[in-house]
Amino acid sequence: MAAVMAALGRPFRRDPLCLGRLLRREAGGPWGRRVPGVLRKSLQRGVALSTGSFLVYEAHKLISGFAEVHASFKVEEVIEQADYLYGSGETEKLYRLLVQHKNSDDAELLWRLARASRDLAQLSSTSAEEKRKLAYEALECAKKALEKNESNFAAHKWYGICLSDVGDFEGIKTKIGNAVVIKEHFQRAVELNPKDATTIHLIGIWCYSFAEMPWYQRKIAATLFATPPTSTFQETTLSFAGSSLLQHGRGR
């Protein structure tokens, strides 16, 4: 703090003196002799206090700026480390790293935590009770990521995935009811990032699931919903072909 104040003070060292000379010059003008000494001292004290307050204000702005830059740098650092752990298959370490930031306002951190929570739930070593807990935790993180940045394609993708996972714990009615919402988020993700082959592949899986739905499930869906979700094998083929083209062509 002392170093910051000293650095800020250098450009303004002459200002109090200049202001003081200006005040004395004005006081010595045509009306200066009529200004009481007490008033002159009060004015000079006011100038000194104003200059000091200005320096404190500038120091606060500078320190706040440093804090913002540091916070941004820290987020980027965590994301870089998280991506390394994800690429290395270190699921448990990745989750432990990201869960520390579950209250973050950064969508990039939050959707990564949703993914890490889901991946941890998929491990064979995770208990059934823990799988359920992690599934809902992942959905909540993905939802929060969307609230923070609706234009983040990965947040839409992982919200759709996590919403589908939660349906496994809530029965066929909820799963079918969520199906339309899931597809909408996948489609939104593709709109935001047409090069993401994974999301296009997920749409293919969605289409295939409803194209091959057994007759009794179709009947249940028709009973529960006025317009149940449907798809065809043609839509499935187109989606899989699109994702394959991106994976082996210009896509990532």
PDB file of all heavy atoms in Angstrom, residues 153 157 185-187 189-191 193-208 235-247 250-252:
ATOM      1  N   PHE A 153     -21.748 -21.707 -25.666  1.00  0.00           N
ATOM      2  CA  PHE A 153     -22.261 -22.923 -26.294  1.00  0.00           C
ATOM      3  C   PHE A 153     -22.048 -24.153 -25.417  1.00  0.00           C
ATOM      4  O   PHE A 153     -22.909 -25.040 -25.348  1.00  0.00           O
ATOM      5  CB  PHE A 153     -21.598 -23.127 -27.671  1.00  0.00           C
ATOM      6  CG  PHE A 153     -20.328 -23.931 -27.646  1.00  0.00           C
ATOM      7  CD1 PHE A 153     -20.350 -25.311 -27.863  1.00  0.00           C
ATOM      8  CD2 PHE A 153     -19.108 -23.319 -27.398  1.00  0.00           C
ATOM      9  CE1 PHE A 153     -19.183 -26.057 -27.829  1.00  0.00           C
ATOM     10  CE2 PHE A 153     -17.939 -24.056 -27.361  1.00  0.00           C
ATOM     11  CZ  PHE A 153     -17.971 -25.438 -27.586  1.00  0.00           C
ATOM     12  N   LYS A 157     -24.639 -27.121 -24.068  1.00  0.00           N
ATOM     13  CA  LYS A 157     -24.386 -28.544 -24.321  1.00  0.00           C
ATOM     14  C   LYS A 157     -24.428 -29.352 -23.027  1.00  0.00           C
ATOM     15  O   LYS A 157     -25.126 -30.379 -22.957  1.00  0.00           O
ATOM     16  CB  LYS A 157     -23.018 -28.724 -24.997  1.00  0.00           C
ATOM     17  CG  LYS A 157     -22.623 -30.181 -25.189  1.00  0.00           C
ATOM     18  CD  LYS A 157     -21.400 -30.320 -26.086  1.00  0.00           C
ATOM     19  CE  LYS A 157     -20.139 -29.832 -25.439  1.00  0.00           C
ATOM     20  NZ  LYS A 157     -18.950 -30.091 -26.295  1.00  0.00           N
ATOM     21  N   HIS A 185     -31.528 -27.129 -26.296  1.00  0.00           N
ATOM     22  CA  HIS A 185     -30.216 -26.667 -25.822  1.00  0.00           C
ATOM     23  C   HIS A 185     -29.094 -27.191 -26.715  1.00  0.00           C
ATOM     24  O   HIS A 185     -28.113 -26.467 -26.968  1.00  0.00           O
ATOM     25  CB  HIS A 185     -30.003 -27.076 -24.369  1.00  0.00           C
ATOM     26  CG  HIS A 185     -30.721 -26.183 -23.398  1.00  0.00           C
ATOM     27  ND1 HIS A 185     -30.270 -24.930 -23.059  1.00  0.00           N
ATOM     28  CD2 HIS A 185     -31.890 -26.356 -22.726  1.00  0.00           C
ATOM     29  CE1 HIS A 185     -31.107 -24.370 -22.198  1.00  0.00           C
ATOM     30  NE2 HIS A 185     -32.093 -25.211 -21.986  1.00  0.00           N
ATOM     31  N   PHE A 186     -29.222 -28.413 -27.201  1.00  0.00           N
ATOM     32  CA  PHE A 186     -28.224 -28.925 -28.140  1.00  0.00           C
ATOM     33  C   PHE A 186     -28.220 -28.091 -29.425  1.00  0.00           C
ATOM     34  O   PHE A 186     -27.153 -27.753 -29.951  1.00  0.00           O
ATOM     35  CB  PHE A 186     -28.510 -30.392 -28.477  1.00  0.00           C
ATOM     36  CG  PHE A 186     -28.196 -31.364 -27.366  1.00  0.00           C
ATOM     37  CD1 PHE A 186     -28.740 -32.643 -27.361  1.00  0.00           C
ATOM     38  CD2 PHE A 186     -27.352 -31.012 -26.333  1.00  0.00           C
ATOM     39  CE1 PHE A 186     -28.447 -33.544 -26.352  1.00  0.00           C
ATOM     40  CE2 PHE A 186     -27.053 -31.901 -25.302  1.00  0.00           C
ATOM     41  CZ  PHE A 186     -27.610 -33.178 -25.315  1.00  0.00           C
ATOM     42  N   GLN A 187     -29.395 -27.778 -29.910  1.00  0.00           N
ATOM     43  CA  GLN A 187     -29.499 -26.985 -31.136  1.00  0.00           C
ATOM     44  C   GLN A 187     -28.951 -25.575 -30.934  1.00  0.00           C
ATOM     45  O   GLN A 187     -28.305 -25.022 -31.823  1.00  0.00           O
ATOM     46  CB  GLN A 187     -30.954 -26.939 -31.607  1.00  0.00           C
ATOM     47  CG  GLN A 187     -31.462 -28.266 -32.148  1.00  0.00           C
ATOM     48  CD  GLN A 187     -32.952 -28.244 -32.479  1.00  0.00           C
ATOM     49  OE1 GLN A 187     -33.733 -27.536 -31.841  1.00  0.00           O
ATOM     50  NE2 GLN A 187     -33.351 -29.034 -33.467  1.00  0.00           N
ATOM     51  N   ALA A 189     -26.609 -24.801 -28.841  1.00  0.00           N
ATOM     52  CA  ALA A 189     -25.154 -24.963 -28.774  1.00  0.00           C
ATOM     53  C   ALA A 189     -24.557 -25.007 -30.180  1.00  0.00           C
ATOM     54  O   ALA A 189     -23.504 -24.412 -30.444  1.00  0.00           O
ATOM     55  CB  ALA A 189     -24.794 -26.228 -28.002  1.00  0.00           C
ATOM     56  N   VAL A 190     -25.226 -25.702 -31.087  1.00  0.00           N
ATOM     57  CA  VAL A 190     -24.748 -25.785 -32.467  1.00  0.00           C
ATOM     58  C   VAL A 190     -24.834 -24.430 -33.158  1.00  0.00           C
ATOM     59  O   VAL A 190     -23.953 -24.054 -33.939  1.00  0.00           O
ATOM     60  CB  VAL A 190     -25.542 -26.850 -33.257  1.00  0.00           C
ATOM     61  CG1 VAL A 190     -25.180 -26.808 -34.738  1.00  0.00           C
ATOM     62  CG2 VAL A 190     -25.272 -28.238 -32.702  1.00  0.00           C
ATOM     63  N   GLU A 191     -25.890 -23.671 -32.870  1.00  0.00           N
ATOM     64  CA  GLU A 191     -26.012 -22.324 -33.439  1.00  0.00           C
ATOM     65  C   GLU A 191     -24.840 -21.450 -32.998  1.00  0.00           C
ATOM     66  O   GLU A 191     -24.304 -20.668 -33.788  1.00  0.00           O
ATOM     67  CB  GLU A 191     -27.322 -21.682 -32.981  1.00  0.00           C
ATOM     68  CG  GLU A 191     -28.571 -22.265 -33.620  1.00  0.00           C
ATOM     69  CD  GLU A 191     -29.836 -21.668 -33.022  1.00  0.00           C
ATOM     70  OE1 GLU A 191     -29.713 -20.716 -32.215  1.00  0.00           O
ATOM     71  OE2 GLU A 191     -30.945 -22.146 -33.334  1.00  0.00           O
ATOM     72  N   ASN A 193     -21.897 -22.554 -31.900  1.00  0.00           N
ATOM     73  CA  ASN A 193     -20.623 -23.121 -32.356  1.00  0.00           C
ATOM     74  C   ASN A 193     -20.885 -24.262 -33.342  1.00  0.00           C
ATOM     75  O   ASN A 193     -20.919 -25.429 -32.955  1.00  0.00           O
ATOM     76  CB  ASN A 193     -19.791 -23.619 -31.176  1.00  0.00           C
ATOM     77  CG  ASN A 193     -18.412 -24.117 -31.611  1.00  0.00           C
ATOM     78  OD1 ASN A 193     -18.047 -24.001 -32.774  1.00  0.00           O
ATOM     79  ND2 ASN A 193     -17.651 -24.661 -30.673  1.00  0.00           N
ATOM     80  N   PRO A 194     -21.075 -23.938 -34.615  1.00  0.00           N
ATOM     81  CA  PRO A 194     -21.390 -24.958 -35.627  1.00  0.00           C
ATOM     82  C   PRO A 194     -20.268 -25.966 -35.850  1.00  0.00           C
ATOM     83  O   PRO A 194     -20.492 -27.001 -36.483  1.00  0.00           O
ATOM     84  CB  PRO A 194     -21.625 -24.122 -36.902  1.00  0.00           C
ATOM     85  CG  PRO A 194     -21.871 -22.732 -36.427  1.00  0.00           C
ATOM     86  CD  PRO A 194     -21.075 -22.580 -35.172  1.00  0.00           C
ATOM     87  N   LYS A 195     -19.083 -25.679 -35.326  1.00  0.00           N
ATOM     88  CA  LYS A 195     -17.942 -26.572 -35.536  1.00  0.00           C
ATOM     89  C   LYS A 195     -17.797 -27.632 -34.447  1.00  0.00           C
ATOM     90  O   LYS A 195     -16.888 -28.457 -34.498  1.00  0.00           O
ATOM     91  CB  LYS A 195     -16.647 -25.755 -35.613  1.00  0.00           C
ATOM     92  CG  LYS A 195     -16.583 -24.817 -36.810  1.00  0.00           C
ATOM     93  CD  LYS A 195     -15.253 -24.088 -36.843  1.00  0.00           C
ATOM     94  CE  LYS A 195     -15.151 -23.169 -38.059  1.00  0.00           C
ATOM     95  NZ  LYS A 195     -13.843 -22.460 -38.091  1.00  0.00           N
ATOM     96  N   ASP A 196     -18.673 -27.596 -33.457  1.00  0.00           N
ATOM     97  CA  ASP A 196     -18.556 -28.566 -32.362  1.00  0.00           C
ATOM     98  C   ASP A 196     -19.206 -29.892 -32.758  1.00  0.00           C
ATOM     99  O   ASP A 196     -20.432 -30.040 -32.720  1.00  0.00           O
ATOM    100  CB  ASP A 196     -19.204 -28.022 -31.091  1.00  0.00           C
ATOM    101  CG  ASP A 196     -18.974 -28.942 -29.905  1.00  0.00           C
ATOM    102  OD1 ASP A 196     -17.804 -29.234 -29.594  1.00  0.00           O
ATOM    103  OD2 ASP A 196     -19.967 -29.391 -29.303  1.00  0.00           O
ATOM    104  N   ALA A 197     -18.368 -30.843 -33.149  1.00  0.00           N
ATOM    105  CA  ALA A 197     -18.865 -32.134 -33.628  1.00  0.00           C
ATOM    106  C   ALA A 197     -19.579 -32.921 -32.536  1.00  0.00           C
ATOM    107  O   ALA A 197     -20.522 -33.670 -32.812  1.00  0.00           O
ATOM    108  CB  ALA A 197     -17.705 -32.955 -34.183  1.00  0.00           C
ATOM    109  N   THR A 198     -19.150 -32.746 -31.288  1.00  0.00           N
ATOM    110  CA  THR A 198     -19.742 -33.502 -30.182  1.00  0.00           C
ATOM    111  C   THR A 198     -21.226 -33.196 -30.024  1.00  0.00           C
ATOM    112  O   THR A 198     -22.048 -34.096 -29.841  1.00  0.00           O
ATOM    113  CB  THR A 198     -19.015 -33.189 -28.862  1.00  0.00           C
ATOM    114  OG1 THR A 198     -17.631 -33.447 -29.022  1.00  0.00           O
ATOM    115  CG2 THR A 198     -19.552 -34.048 -27.736  1.00  0.00           C
ATOM    116  N   THR A 199     -21.575 -31.923 -30.100  1.00  0.00           N
ATOM    117  CA  THR A 199     -22.977 -31.542 -29.930  1.00  0.00           C
ATOM    118  C   THR A 199     -23.839 -32.086 -31.070  1.00  0.00           C
ATOM    119  O   THR A 199     -24.955 -32.563 -30.842  1.00  0.00           O
ATOM    120  CB  THR A 199     -23.125 -30.011 -29.858  1.00  0.00           C
ATOM    121  OG1 THR A 199     -22.199 -29.496 -28.903  1.00  0.00           O
ATOM    122  CG2 THR A 199     -24.527 -29.626 -29.442  1.00  0.00           C
ATOM    123  N   ILE A 200     -23.323 -32.030 -32.293  1.00  0.00           N
ATOM    124  CA  ILE A 200     -24.067 -32.566 -33.442  1.00  0.00           C
ATOM    125  C   ILE A 200     -24.261 -34.069 -33.278  1.00  0.00           C
ATOM    126  O   ILE A 200     -25.325 -34.613 -33.591  1.00  0.00           O
ATOM    127  CB  ILE A 200     -23.334 -32.243 -34.759  1.00  0.00           C
ATOM    128  CG1 ILE A 200     -23.258 -30.726 -34.945  1.00  0.00           C
ATOM    129  CG2 ILE A 200     -24.047 -32.881 -35.949  1.00  0.00           C
ATOM    130  CD1 ILE A 200     -22.440 -30.274 -36.136  1.00  0.00           C
ATOM    131  N   HIS A 201     -23.245 -34.735 -32.741  1.00  0.00           N
ATOM    132  CA  HIS A 201     -23.358 -36.169 -32.477  1.00  0.00           C
ATOM    133  C   HIS A 201     -24.427 -36.442 -31.415  1.00  0.00           C
ATOM    134  O   HIS A 201     -25.186 -37.414 -31.513  1.00  0.00           O
ATOM    135  CB  HIS A 201     -22.006 -36.719 -32.022  1.00  0.00           C
ATOM    136  CG  HIS A 201     -21.976 -38.203 -31.870  1.00  0.00           C
ATOM    137  ND1 HIS A 201     -21.875 -39.063 -32.945  1.00  0.00           N
ATOM    138  CD2 HIS A 201     -22.053 -38.998 -30.767  1.00  0.00           C
ATOM    139  CE1 HIS A 201     -21.888 -40.316 -32.522  1.00  0.00           C
ATOM    140  NE2 HIS A 201     -21.986 -40.303 -31.198  1.00  0.00           N
ATOM    141  N   LEU A 202     -24.487 -35.580 -30.415  1.00  0.00           N
ATOM    142  CA  LEU A 202     -25.494 -35.729 -29.364  1.00  0.00           C
ATOM    143  C   LEU A 202     -26.903 -35.581 -29.928  1.00  0.00           C
ATOM    144  O   LEU A 202     -27.827 -36.290 -29.502  1.00  0.00           O
ATOM    145  CB  LEU A 202     -25.254 -34.696 -28.265  1.00  0.00           C
ATOM    146  CG  LEU A 202     -24.043 -34.930 -27.361  1.00  0.00           C
ATOM    147  CD1 LEU A 202     -23.767 -33.698 -26.509  1.00  0.00           C
ATOM    148  CD2 LEU A 202     -24.248 -36.154 -26.483  1.00  0.00           C
ATOM    149  N   ILE A 203     -27.068 -34.675 -30.867  1.00  0.00           N
ATOM    150  CA  ILE A 203     -28.380 -34.530 -31.519  1.00  0.00           C
ATOM    151  C   ILE A 203     -28.718 -35.820 -32.266  1.00  0.00           C
ATOM    152  O   ILE A 203     -29.875 -36.272 -32.275  1.00  0.00           O
ATOM    153  CB  ILE A 203     -28.384 -33.327 -32.483  1.00  0.00           C
ATOM    154  CG1 ILE A 203     -28.268 -32.028 -31.683  1.00  0.00           C
ATOM    155  CG2 ILE A 203     -29.657 -33.314 -33.330  1.00  0.00           C
ATOM    156  CD1 ILE A 203     -28.166 -30.774 -32.533  1.00  0.00           C
ATOM    157  N   GLY A 204     -27.698 -36.442 -32.873  1.00  0.00           N
ATOM    158  CA  GLY A 204     -27.908 -37.720 -33.552  1.00  0.00           C
ATOM    159  C   GLY A 204     -28.372 -38.800 -32.588  1.00  0.00           C
ATOM    160  O   GLY A 204     -29.286 -39.577 -32.900  1.00  0.00           O
ATOM    161  N   ILE A 205     -27.769 -38.848 -31.410  1.00  0.00           N
ATOM    162  CA  ILE A 205     -28.167 -39.821 -30.386  1.00  0.00           C
ATOM    163  C   ILE A 205     -29.604 -39.546 -29.945  1.00  0.00           C
ATOM    164  O   ILE A 205     -30.400 -40.477 -29.761  1.00  0.00           O
ATOM    165  CB  ILE A 205     -27.200 -39.755 -29.183  1.00  0.00           C
ATOM    166  CG1 ILE A 205     -25.804 -40.236 -29.604  1.00  0.00           C
ATOM    167  CG2 ILE A 205     -27.730 -40.590 -28.025  1.00  0.00           C
ATOM    168  CD1 ILE A 205     -24.754 -40.076 -28.530  1.00  0.00           C
ATOM    169  N   TRP A 206     -29.923 -38.272 -29.771  1.00  0.00           N
ATOM    170  CA  TRP A 206     -31.284 -37.897 -29.381  1.00  0.00           C
ATOM    171  C   TRP A 206     -32.276 -38.382 -30.432  1.00  0.00           C
ATOM    172  O   TRP A 206     -33.298 -38.991 -30.101  1.00  0.00           O
ATOM    173  CB  TRP A 206     -31.367 -36.380 -29.231  1.00  0.00           C
ATOM    174  CG  TRP A 206     -32.661 -35.864 -28.663  1.00  0.00           C
ATOM    175  CD1 TRP A 206     -32.906 -35.511 -27.368  1.00  0.00           C
ATOM    176  CD2 TRP A 206     -33.898 -35.640 -29.372  1.00  0.00           C
ATOM    177  NE1 TRP A 206     -34.208 -35.083 -27.221  1.00  0.00           N
ATOM    178  CE2 TRP A 206     -34.846 -35.155 -28.440  1.00  0.00           C
ATOM    179  CE3 TRP A 206     -34.291 -35.806 -30.687  1.00  0.00           C
ATOM    180  CZ2 TRP A 206     -36.153 -34.836 -28.781  1.00  0.00           C
ATOM    181  CZ3 TRP A 206     -35.595 -35.499 -31.047  1.00  0.00           C
ATOM    182  CH2 TRP A 206     -36.516 -35.015 -30.111  1.00  0.00           C
ATOM    183  N   CYS A 207     -31.993 -38.114 -31.693  1.00  0.00           N
ATOM    184  CA  CYS A 207     -32.886 -38.529 -32.780  1.00  0.00           C
ATOM    185  C   CYS A 207     -33.024 -40.049 -32.831  1.00  0.00           C
ATOM    186  O   CYS A 207     -34.131 -40.587 -33.006  1.00  0.00           O
ATOM    187  CB  CYS A 207     -32.364 -38.014 -34.123  1.00  0.00           C
ATOM    188  SG  CYS A 207     -32.438 -36.213 -34.301  1.00  0.00           S
ATOM    189  N   TYR A 208     -31.912 -40.741 -32.655  1.00  0.00           N
ATOM    190  CA  TYR A 208     -31.938 -42.204 -32.700  1.00  0.00           C
ATOM    191  C   TYR A 208     -32.788 -42.769 -31.561  1.00  0.00           C
ATOM    192  O   TYR A 208     -33.542 -43.732 -31.749  1.00  0.00           O
ATOM    193  CB  TYR A 208     -30.513 -42.753 -32.613  1.00  0.00           C
ATOM    194  CG  TYR A 208     -30.435 -44.248 -32.675  1.00  0.00           C
ATOM    195  CD1 TYR A 208     -30.581 -44.925 -33.885  1.00  0.00           C
ATOM    196  CD2 TYR A 208     -30.225 -45.000 -31.518  1.00  0.00           C
ATOM    197  CE1 TYR A 208     -30.511 -46.314 -33.945  1.00  0.00           C
ATOM    198  CE2 TYR A 208     -30.170 -46.378 -31.566  1.00  0.00           C
ATOM    199  CZ  TYR A 208     -30.312 -47.031 -32.782  1.00  0.00           C
ATOM    200  OH  TYR A 208     -30.257 -48.398 -32.835  1.00  0.00           O
ATOM    201  N   GLU A 235     -33.166 -38.299 -39.876  1.00  0.00           N
ATOM    202  CA  GLU A 235     -32.582 -37.218 -39.070  1.00  0.00           C
ATOM    203  C   GLU A 235     -31.359 -37.727 -38.314  1.00  0.00           C
ATOM    204  O   GLU A 235     -30.357 -37.017 -38.177  1.00  0.00           O
ATOM    205  CB  GLU A 235     -33.625 -36.682 -38.081  1.00  0.00           C
ATOM    206  CG  GLU A 235     -34.753 -35.888 -38.709  1.00  0.00           C
ATOM    207  CD  GLU A 235     -35.754 -35.432 -37.685  1.00  0.00           C
ATOM    208  OE1 GLU A 235     -36.263 -36.274 -36.921  1.00  0.00           O
ATOM    209  OE2 GLU A 235     -36.042 -34.213 -37.628  1.00  0.00           O
ATOM    210  N   THR A 236     -31.461 -38.955 -37.834  1.00  0.00           N
ATOM    211  CA  THR A 236     -30.335 -39.559 -37.119  1.00  0.00           C
ATOM    212  C   THR A 236     -29.115 -39.656 -38.021  1.00  0.00           C
ATOM    213  O   THR A 236     -27.993 -39.271 -37.638  1.00  0.00           O
ATOM    214  CB  THR A 236     -30.717 -40.969 -36.619  1.00  0.00           C
ATOM    215  OG1 THR A 236     -31.866 -40.872 -35.786  1.00  0.00           O
ATOM    216  CG2 THR A 236     -29.578 -41.594 -35.837  1.00  0.00           C
ATOM    217  N   THR A 237     -29.323 -40.171 -39.230  1.00  0.00           N
ATOM    218  CA  THR A 237     -28.226 -40.353 -40.185  1.00  0.00           C
ATOM    219  C   THR A 237     -27.586 -39.017 -40.542  1.00  0.00           C
ATOM    220  O   THR A 237     -26.355 -38.902 -40.602  1.00  0.00           O
ATOM    221  CB  THR A 237     -28.742 -41.032 -41.464  1.00  0.00           C
ATOM    222  OG1 THR A 237     -29.329 -42.281 -41.121  1.00  0.00           O
ATOM    223  CG2 THR A 237     -27.606 -41.259 -42.449  1.00  0.00           C
ATOM    224  N   LEU A 238     -28.406 -38.001 -40.755  1.00  0.00           N
ATOM    225  CA  LEU A 238     -27.884 -36.684 -41.108  1.00  0.00           C
ATOM    226  C   LEU A 238     -27.027 -36.105 -39.984  1.00  0.00           C
ATOM    227  O   LEU A 238     -25.971 -35.511 -40.232  1.00  0.00           O
ATOM    228  CB  LEU A 238     -29.044 -35.735 -41.437  1.00  0.00           C
ATOM    229  CG  LEU A 238     -29.769 -35.988 -42.763  1.00  0.00           C
ATOM    230  CD1 LEU A 238     -31.002 -35.096 -42.869  1.00  0.00           C
ATOM    231  CD2 LEU A 238     -28.831 -35.741 -43.944  1.00  0.00           C
ATOM    232  N   SER A 239     -27.478 -36.275 -38.757  1.00  0.00           N
ATOM    233  CA  SER A 239     -26.717 -35.749 -37.612  1.00  0.00           C
ATOM    234  C   SER A 239     -25.394 -36.465 -37.456  1.00  0.00           C
ATOM    235  O   SER A 239     -24.337 -35.831 -37.274  1.00  0.00           O
ATOM    236  CB  SER A 239     -27.542 -35.883 -36.329  1.00  0.00           C
ATOM    237  OG  SER A 239     -28.697 -35.087 -36.377  1.00  0.00           O
ATOM    238  N   PHE A 240     -25.406 -37.801 -37.540  1.00  0.00           N
ATOM    239  CA  PHE A 240     -24.168 -38.562 -37.401  1.00  0.00           C
ATOM    240  C   PHE A 240     -23.202 -38.250 -38.546  1.00  0.00           C
ATOM    241  O   PHE A 240     -21.989 -38.162 -38.338  1.00  0.00           O
ATOM    242  CB  PHE A 240     -24.462 -40.060 -37.355  1.00  0.00           C
ATOM    243  CG  PHE A 240     -25.032 -40.518 -36.041  1.00  0.00           C
ATOM    244  CD1 PHE A 240     -25.904 -41.595 -35.980  1.00  0.00           C
ATOM    245  CD2 PHE A 240     -24.692 -39.889 -34.862  1.00  0.00           C
ATOM    246  CE1 PHE A 240     -26.430 -42.029 -34.779  1.00  0.00           C
ATOM    247  CE2 PHE A 240     -25.211 -40.314 -33.639  1.00  0.00           C
ATOM    248  CZ  PHE A 240     -26.081 -41.378 -33.601  1.00  0.00           C
ATOM    249  N   ALA A 241     -23.750 -38.073 -39.740  1.00  0.00           N
ATOM    250  CA  ALA A 241     -22.902 -37.751 -40.898  1.00  0.00           C
ATOM    251  C   ALA A 241     -22.262 -36.382 -40.709  1.00  0.00           C
ATOM    252  O   ALA A 241     -21.079 -36.185 -41.019  1.00  0.00           O
ATOM    253  CB  ALA A 241     -23.733 -37.778 -42.180  1.00  0.00           C
ATOM    254  N   GLY A 242     -23.049 -35.442 -40.191  1.00  0.00           N
ATOM    255  CA  GLY A 242     -22.517 -34.098 -39.955  1.00  0.00           C
ATOM    256  C   GLY A 242     -21.406 -34.087 -38.929  1.00  0.00           C
ATOM    257  O   GLY A 242     -20.379 -33.431 -39.111  1.00  0.00           O
ATOM    258  N   SER A 243     -21.585 -34.823 -37.840  1.00  0.00           N
ATOM    259  CA  SER A 243     -20.550 -34.856 -36.806  1.00  0.00           C
ATOM    260  C   SER A 243     -19.300 -35.561 -37.309  1.00  0.00           C
ATOM    261  O   SER A 243     -18.174 -35.148 -37.018  1.00  0.00           O
ATOM    262  CB  SER A 243     -21.072 -35.560 -35.556  1.00  0.00           C
ATOM    263  OG  SER A 243     -21.289 -36.926 -35.784  1.00  0.00           O
ATOM    264  N   SER A 244     -19.493 -36.613 -38.123  1.00  0.00           N
ATOM    265  CA  SER A 244     -18.343 -37.340 -38.678  1.00  0.00           C
ATOM    266  C   SER A 244     -17.546 -36.453 -39.630  1.00  0.00           C
ATOM    267  O   SER A 244     -16.316 -36.458 -39.631  1.00  0.00           O
ATOM    268  CB  SER A 244     -18.834 -38.594 -39.405  1.00  0.00           C
ATOM    269  OG  SER A 244     -17.744 -39.292 -39.965  1.00  0.00           O
ATOM    270  N   LEU A 245     -18.265 -35.670 -40.413  1.00  0.00           N
ATOM    271  CA  LEU A 245     -17.602 -34.764 -41.346  1.00  0.00           C
ATOM    272  C   LEU A 245     -16.760 -33.732 -40.622  1.00  0.00           C
ATOM    273  O   LEU A 245     -15.642 -33.420 -41.022  1.00  0.00           O
ATOM    274  CB  LEU A 245     -18.670 -34.053 -42.204  1.00  0.00           C
ATOM    275  CG  LEU A 245     -18.148 -33.068 -43.267  1.00  0.00           C
ATOM    276  CD1 LEU A 245     -17.317 -33.797 -44.308  1.00  0.00           C
ATOM    277  CD2 LEU A 245     -19.324 -32.337 -43.914  1.00  0.00           C
ATOM    278  N   LEU A 246     -17.287 -33.203 -39.516  1.00  0.00           N
ATOM    279  CA  LEU A 246     -16.558 -32.222 -38.735  1.00  0.00           C
ATOM    280  C   LEU A 246     -15.335 -32.833 -38.060  1.00  0.00           C
ATOM    281  O   LEU A 246     -14.272 -32.227 -37.983  1.00  0.00           O
ATOM    282  CB  LEU A 246     -17.469 -31.590 -37.687  1.00  0.00           C
ATOM    283  CG  LEU A 246     -18.495 -30.577 -38.209  1.00  0.00           C
ATOM    284  CD1 LEU A 246     -19.463 -30.186 -37.108  1.00  0.00           C
ATOM    285  CD2 LEU A 246     -17.789 -29.340 -38.742  1.00  0.00           C
ATOM    286  N   GLN A 247     -15.482 -34.058 -37.561  1.00  0.00           N
ATOM    287  CA  GLN A 247     -14.372 -34.714 -36.864  1.00  0.00           C
ATOM    288  C   GLN A 247     -13.218 -35.026 -37.798  1.00  0.00           C
ATOM    289  O   GLN A 247     -12.047 -34.904 -37.422  1.00  0.00           O
ATOM    290  CB  GLN A 247     -14.871 -36.002 -36.192  1.00  0.00           C
ATOM    291  CG  GLN A 247     -15.734 -35.759 -34.961  1.00  0.00           C
ATOM    292  CD  GLN A 247     -16.328 -37.037 -34.405  1.00  0.00           C
ATOM    293  OE1 GLN A 247     -16.474 -38.012 -35.129  1.00  0.00           O
ATOM    294  NE2 GLN A 247     -16.657 -37.015 -33.142  1.00  0.00           N
ATOM    295  N   ARG A 250     -12.917 -30.265 -41.277  1.00  0.00           N
ATOM    296  CA  ARG A 250     -12.470 -28.988 -40.714  1.00  0.00           C
ATOM    297  C   ARG A 250     -12.908 -28.802 -39.269  1.00  0.00           C
ATOM    298  O   ARG A 250     -12.557 -27.819 -38.634  1.00  0.00           O
ATOM    299  CB  ARG A 250     -13.012 -27.832 -41.542  1.00  0.00           C
ATOM    300  CG  ARG A 250     -14.538 -27.809 -41.627  1.00  0.00           C
ATOM    301  CD  ARG A 250     -15.002 -26.733 -42.605  1.00  0.00           C
ATOM    302  NE  ARG A 250     -16.458 -26.714 -42.714  1.00  0.00           N
ATOM    303  CZ  ARG A 250     -17.253 -26.059 -41.894  1.00  0.00           C
ATOM    304  NH1 ARG A 250     -16.742 -25.395 -40.887  1.00  0.00           N
ATOM    305  NH2 ARG A 250     -18.573 -26.065 -42.068  1.00  0.00           N
ATOM    306  N   GLY A 251     -13.720 -29.704 -38.734  1.00  0.00           N
ATOM    307  CA  GLY A 251     -14.225 -29.525 -37.374  1.00  0.00           C
ATOM    308  C   GLY A 251     -13.197 -29.827 -36.319  1.00  0.00           C
ATOM    309  O   GLY A 251     -12.119 -30.320 -36.590  1.00  0.00           O
ATOM    310  N   ARG A 252     -13.585 -29.507 -35.054  1.00  0.00           N
ATOM    311  CA  ARG A 252     -12.682 -29.756 -33.935  1.00  0.00           C
ATOM    312  C   ARG A 252     -13.364 -30.719 -32.963  1.00  0.00           C
ATOM    313  O   ARG A 252     -14.550 -30.690 -32.808  1.00  0.00           O
ATOM    314  CB  ARG A 252     -12.368 -28.459 -33.205  1.00  0.00           C
ATOM    315  CG  ARG A 252     -11.514 -27.523 -34.033  1.00  0.00           C
ATOM    316  CD  ARG A 252     -11.161 -26.278 -33.267  1.00  0.00           C
ATOM    317  NE  ARG A 252     -12.358 -25.492 -32.995  1.00  0.00           N
ATOM    318  CZ  ARG A 252     -12.401 -24.416 -32.237  1.00  0.00           C
ATOM    319  NH1 ARG A 252     -11.299 -23.998 -31.643  1.00  0.00           N
ATOM    320  NH2 ARG A 252     -13.513 -23.744 -32.049  1.00  0.00           N
TER     321      ARG A 252
END
